[in-house]
Amino acid sequence: MKPISSRRARAVVVALAAGSLALTACSKNEGGDSGTDSKKDQSEATVQSKAVTYADAAGSTGPAEEVTGAKPGGTINVYQEAGVSHLDPGQIYVSDAGQVANLLFRRLTQFKEDGKGGVSVVGDLATDSGKSSDGGKTWTFTLKDGVKDQNGNAITSADVRHTVERQYASFIFDGPTYLQTWLSGADYRKALPDGGFGKKHLPASVLDTPDDKTVVFHFDTARPDLPQTLAMAGYAIVPEKTDTKAAYDKAPVATGPYKIASNKVGKELVLTKNTNWDPKTDSVRHQYADKFDFQFGITESTQTKRLIADQGADKNAIQFTGGVEATQIQDVIGNPAVSKRTVKGYQPYVMQLTFNLTRVKDLKVRQAITYAVNSKSLIAGEGGAYGGDVAPNYFAPTLPGYEANYDPYGRLKTPQGNIAKAKEILKGVPATEKKVVFAYANTEAGQKRKVAIEDALTKVGFDVVAKEVDGASYYEQIGKLDNPYDIYITGWGQDWPSAGTVITPIYDGTQVADGSSNYSHVKDPKVDALIKKALSEDPTAAAKTWKEAQHYLLEKIVPAAPLWYTKQFQLSGSNIGGARYGSVSSLIDITRLYVKS
C-alpha cells in the first residue's frame, strides 16, 4: 500500500494487529536526544506482523461496540495539506483516500480492531469473513439483509460483480490489482476490456452470482488471503445503477455512515450523515459527528500551530494523514496538556529513493546514490526519531521476515551517507550519467526532502535537476511509464502481513505498466521466478523465498535506495473524543471520533 506523498508514505495500509506504540523511552539517536528508543519501537512494531483472525457471523454482526463517552452531533474539522488523490473506490490505493473511504464506503469484508492489539477480518457487507472450499480455491460470501446505498437502493450480488468487473476497465488505473490478477491473470484487462459495462461478463466459473445474496469467487490456486484483500478500500462497492465510469471519481455513491455533501477538489470536502446507513448491519463503524469538514491546503506547520493553540474551531479538529511538524515536536511533547492529545505508532512504510530503470541504466550510478543518500537529514525533516528510523533494507519492522541487521550499504553505521564510497564507485562514470532529474512533491515535506537529496548527491558529484510535482497527483505522475524523471521518493507498506504484498506489487515484472506500483520498472526474470515460487509455497517456505528476493533486488539490481521507516505522530483538538492510533490505517482511527461538547 502506498502512503500519501506529503509527510507519510502511499496505499490502504494493513499494518495489522498493533496497539499504539508508546514512544516514550529515553535514548539518543543520530538526531540527538529524541525522547524515543528506536530499537524498542521496532521490537514493539513486530506485533503488527502477526496474522489476523477471520470472524464468523457473530463477530460480523452490528452495531459496533460503543466508544466510551461518545455522543452524537457536531462537526469534526479535518486538516490536510494536499487534496485527496481519488474518491472512486477502484482508484484508491493511497492512505489519504483510504481514510476517507472508511467513512464513505463498505466492502465485502472489513478489518476490526479491539484496541488491545488484536485485529480480525469481519464480514462488512457479507455475513461473515467468507467460507472457503475446494482447498481454498473457492470462496463464498452471503450478503447481509438491509444494506443500502445512500439513495436507498439495496446492495445485491450484481453490485458486487459490477464492482469487480469495472476494475478491468481502462479508466481504473491507480488501485490494487490483486483480485483481478488472481481471477484472470496478469493480462486481466484482456479478459473483460469494457469492464463489464457491455453485454460480456466474467464467466460463472470465475465469478458467480447465483442469486441476489450470494457471491462465489473461483481461483486456480488457493487464496487464503482473500478476506484481507477484499477488505481493502480499493474493493469497496460501487453500485451498478449509479456508476458514471471515469466521472465517478468526483461524486461517488456512499454505502458507509457518511456521504459527500460537497466536493471542491483540492480545497474542501464535506461529508454529512448517510441516513440510509443502518448501524445494525455494521460491526466496525460509527456515525457520531454530524459532519466531517476536510480542509485542504493547510500546511503541517500551520496545522500543528493551530492545534497546539487549541482555540475556537481548532478544538474540534484533527490532523488527517499528516503529523506534528518536525520543528514543533518539542513544543508538543514538552507540554503535558498538548502531549495527551497525540496518537503515536509505527507505520508499515519504507520510504526509499526509487530509480526509474528505464532512464537510470547504470548500476554504478544506482549504487553510488544508495551509498550517498543522507537518511539522518531526511529523518530530521520528518521529526527525528518521532518521525522515523533509518531503513537499511526494503522490509519494515512490521513485516514478517524483517531483518533488523540486514544492511548491505552500511546505512546503520553511516546514516548520514558514505560520500567516500559513493565517489569511489563513480570513478570512470561519464558526466552525462551524473545528471539526474529528481521529482519531488510541492509540499512542505517535499521541499525538505528535495534539499536533503540535492545536498547529498551534489557532494558526490551529481548534477541534480529538481522538478516539482503536484502533491495530490504525485503517485499518479511518477506512475506513468514514460515519466520524465530519473529518481523520486516513494513509500510502500504491506497490504497485509506478508512480504508478498511488498515484493509483488512493486517489483513484479508483469506489472510494469501505466498506473502500476512498479515505479522502478523492474523486469527481471529471477525476481519474477522467485515471486511465482513464493506465491505457490506455504507461509514458512515463502518467507525464505521473499527474503531471497529482497537480497537479490537490493544487492544485484538496486531498484531503490532504502531511506527510512516511518512513524506516525498526530495531534487533535481538545474537544475531539475517541482518538486512538489505528494500526490498520497507521493513522488516527477516524471511525471512532466524536465531538465532546
Side-chain angles (χ1 to χ4, degrees):
M1 150 189 158
K2 312 165 193 175
I4 62 167
S5 57
S6 64
R7 184 171 176 217
R8 310 299 172 205
R10 187 192 182 204
V12 174
V13 149
V14 183
L16 294 172
S20 295
L21 296 182
L23 308 183
T24 56
C26 186
S27 70
K28 287 193 177 183
N29 73 345
E30 297 298 332
D33 188 0
S34 66
T36 80
D37 183 337
S38 293
K39 288 186 177 180
K40 180 181 178 183
D41 291 348
Q42 292 186 22
S43 176
E44 292 181 3
T46 60
V47 175
Q48 293 176 241
S49 69
K50 72 179 183 181
V52 300
T53 58
Y54 289 174
D56 57 13
S60 305
T61 301
E65 182 179 349
E66 291 293 331
V67 176
T68 303
K71 56 182 66 175
T75 296
I76 294 177
N77 298 311
V78 185
Y79 298 155
Q80 176 83 341
E81 185 168 359
V84 174
S85 52
H86 289 290
L87 290 173
D88 183 329
Q91 301 276 55
I92 294 178
Y93 209 170
V94 182
S95 51
D96 58 353
Q99 276 281 73
V100 177
N102 287 332
L103 300 175
L104 289 176
F105 308 124
R106 299 179 68 176
R107 36 271 208 189
L108 281 175
T109 59
Q110 178 60 293
F111 293 101
K112 183 177 182 179
E113 302 181 47
D114 63 7
K116 301 175 183 178
V119 176
S120 59
V121 177
V122 300
D124 189 3
L125 294 176
T127 55
D128 56 28
S129 56
K131 292 181 171 62
S132 65
S133 57
D134 189 25
K137 294 180 181 179
T138 298
W139 283 86
T140 302
F141 296 87
T142 303
L143 300 184
K144 293 176 179 175
D145 295 324
V147 179
K148 301 177 181 179
D149 66 19
Q150 69 179 59
N151 299 313
N153 298 317
I155 299 298
T156 70
S157 61
D159 295 308
V160 178
R161 182 187 65 190
H162 175 73
T163 297
V164 175
E165 292 183 340
R166 74 190 297 272
Q167 298 270 7
Y168 290 61
S170 59
F171 69 84
I172 299 293
F173 57 85
D174 219 17
T177 60
Y178 294 108
L179 184 58
Q180 305 93 290
T181 55
W182 290 355
L183 289 171
S184 304
D187 293 329
Y188 64 88
R189 293 193 194 274
K190 294 181 180 178
L192 201 63
D194 65 359
F197 287 94
K199 294 182 179 181
K200 185 180 178 182
H201 296 283
L202 293 174
S205 58
V206 173
L207 175 60
D208 193 12
T209 52
D211 56 54
D212 286 349
K213 290 288 187 180
T214 307
V215 179
V216 186
F217 295 96
H218 297 283
F219 304 101
D220 58 4
T221 189
R223 296 296 180 186
D225 291 342
L226 182 66
Q228 298 181 71
T229 310
L230 294 174
M232 298 174 71
Y235 295 118
I237 297 302
V238 175
E240 184 174 17
K241 294 178 182 177
T242 48
D243 191 349
T244 54
K245 298 184 179 180
Y248 198 73
D249 220 356
K250 297 292 189 293
V253 173
T255 51
Y258 292 88
K259 62 182 180 181
I260 296 173
S262 64
N263 180 20
K264 300 175 182 177
V265 178
K267 296 180 179 180
E268 184 181 34
L269 174 67
V270 178
L271 309 184
T272 54
K273 287 185 176 181
N274 173 11
T275 56
N276 279 303
W277 173 77
D278 185 353
K280 294 178 182 178
T281 68
D282 197 326
S283 66
V284 177
R285 301 171 188 79
H286 299 281
Q287 197 187 50
Y288 294 129
D290 289 334
K291 183 187 299 183
F292 281 85
D293 187 348
F294 293 79
Q295 299 166 34
F296 305 113
I298 304 176
T299 64
E300 284 191 339
S301 58
T302 300
Q303 295 172 27
T304 306
K305 288 176 184 175
R306 288 169 59 171
L307 289 168
I308 289 174
D310 197 43
Q311 299 294 313
D314 296 329
K315 291 184 177 182
N316 293 3
I318 64 169
Q319 291 186 295
F320 187 43
T321 60
V324 174
E325 194 266 329
T327 64
Q328 300 178 71
I329 284 178
Q330 292 301 322
D331 297 331
V332 173
I333 63 177
N335 185 330
V338 177
S339 183
K340 72 178 182 181
R341 295 191 272 115
T342 61
V343 296
K344 318 171 185 70
Y346 222 112
Q347 296 186 302
Y349 300 113
V350 179
M351 302 303 294
Q352 49 200 39
L353 183 63
T354 295
F355 301 109
N356 179 347
L357 299 189
T358 304
R359 295 166 59 98
V360 187
K361 298 181 182 295
D362 193 327
L363 177 61
K364 288 185 177 181
V365 169
R366 304 197 296 272
Q367 290 173 328
I369 290 177
T370 301
Y371 276 109
V373 285
N374 189 334
S375 290
K376 177 181 176 181
S377 177
L378 287 160
I379 292 170
E382 303 295 309
Y386 279 89
D389 289 330
V390 176
N393 57 63
Y394 299 148
F395 285 3
T398 59
L399 192 69
Y402 165 64
E403 299 174 271
N405 297 316
Y406 175 52
D407 186 17
Y409 294 91
R411 180 75 72 238
L412 298 175
K413 291 182 179 179
T414 55
Q416 73 281 4
N418 190 333
I419 302 301
K421 181 69 173 179
K423 286 184 175 180
E424 179 186 334
I425 293 172
L426 279 180
K427 287 180 180 178
V429 173
T432 54
E433 298 294 317
K434 296 178 185 177
K435 183 176 181 178
V436 292
V437 180
F438 171 55
Y440 68 97
N442 63 345
T443 61
E444 280 188 334
Q447 289 286 349
K448 292 177 184 177
R449 294 171 182 177
K450 167 183 172 287
V451 171
I453 294 297
E454 280 183 324
D455 179 66
L457 299 193
T458 301
K459 286 179 181 177
V460 179
F462 283 100
D463 176 12
V464 181
V465 180
K467 297 288 186 179
E468 183 177 281
V469 178
D470 173 60
S473 62
Y474 178 80
Y475 278 96
E476 184 177 334
Q477 297 306 314
I478 65 173
K480 295 178 179 178
L481 272 182
D482 62 348
N483 78 70
Y485 315 117
D486 296 315
I487 54 176
Y488 24 78
I489 290 179
T490 65
W492 192 267
Q494 67 214 46
D495 289 313
W496 56 86
S498 167
T501 68
V502 173
I503 296 293
T504 306
I506 55 179
Y507 298 123
D508 185 346
T510 66
Q511 298 192 32
V512 176
D514 281 334
S516 165
S517 300
N518 189 334
Y519 299 110
S520 59
H521 309 161
V522 170
K523 206 166 190 177
D524 185 90
K526 182 170 181 177
V527 174
D528 292 347
L530 289 170
I531 290 173
K532 185 176 181 180
K533 179 173 182 282
L535 291 175
S536 67
E537 295 175 322
D538 65 75
T540 301
K544 295 180 181 178
T545 305
W546 293 127
K547 186 180 297 185
E548 181 184 352
Q550 181 193 200
H551 286 222
Y552 177 75
L553 281 159
L554 190 51
E555 296 169 30
K556 303 299 182 182
I557 300 178
V558 199
L563 300 174
W564 75 93
Y565 301 134
T566 67
K567 296 177 182 177
Q568 187 55 275
F569 188 47
Q570 293 182 293
L571 187 59
S572 58
S574 61
N575 203 33
I576 294 293
R580 76 178 184 194
Y581 181 73
S583 58
V584 170
S585 65
S586 72
L587 298 162
I588 190 170
D589 188 343
I590 203 167
T591 65
R592 295 168 39 87
L593 302 179
Y594 65 91
V595 179
K596 293 179 181 177
S597 60

